[in-house]
Amino acid sequence: MKWFKTMSTNWYIRGVKELSWPGFDRYFWQKNYYDRILRNDQKLMSLRGYIANNPLRWLESRKI
């Protein structure tokens, strides 16, 4: 993952310098998040379910 982030950041920086792409302030990648490589459809479907249901779980956790 580190290699991918490094290479894609360098690729984008070249685009900013040579092709007038919009720049970015400080970081190209979001800090402090969990990287995950999805290796099969089962993992993909599981993560999609998590993303779809997470807002509801968050709201339920806030109820008193």
Side-chain angles (χ1 to χ4, degrees):
M1 189 58 76
K2 183 177 181 179
W3 177 86
F4 175 77
K5 289 180 174 183
T6 299
M7 297 307 292
S8 59
T9 300
N10 289 337
W11 172 78
Y12 195 85
I13 289 170
R14 279 195 302 277
V16 170
K17 291 179 179 178
E18 299 172 8
L19 303 173
S20 300
W21 292 356
F24 54 95
D25 185 31
R26 294 178 143 187
Y27 302 107
F28 186 66
W29 288 93
Q30 178 181 350
K31 293 285 185 184
N32 299 322
Y33 73 100
Y34 185 73
D35 293 329
R36 180 179 299 230
I37 297 174
L38 304 174
R39 300 186 186 277
N40 58 48
D41 289 340
Q42 182 180 3
K43 296 287 185 184
L44 174 62
M45 295 306 293
S46 175
L47 187 60
R48 284 179 175 171
Y50 172 81
I51 292 169
N53 295 319
N54 199 42
L56 179 59
R57 286 197 314 260
W58 184 84
L59 287 173
E60 289 175 350
S61 73
R62 301 292 178 217
K63 291 181 183 177
I64 297 176

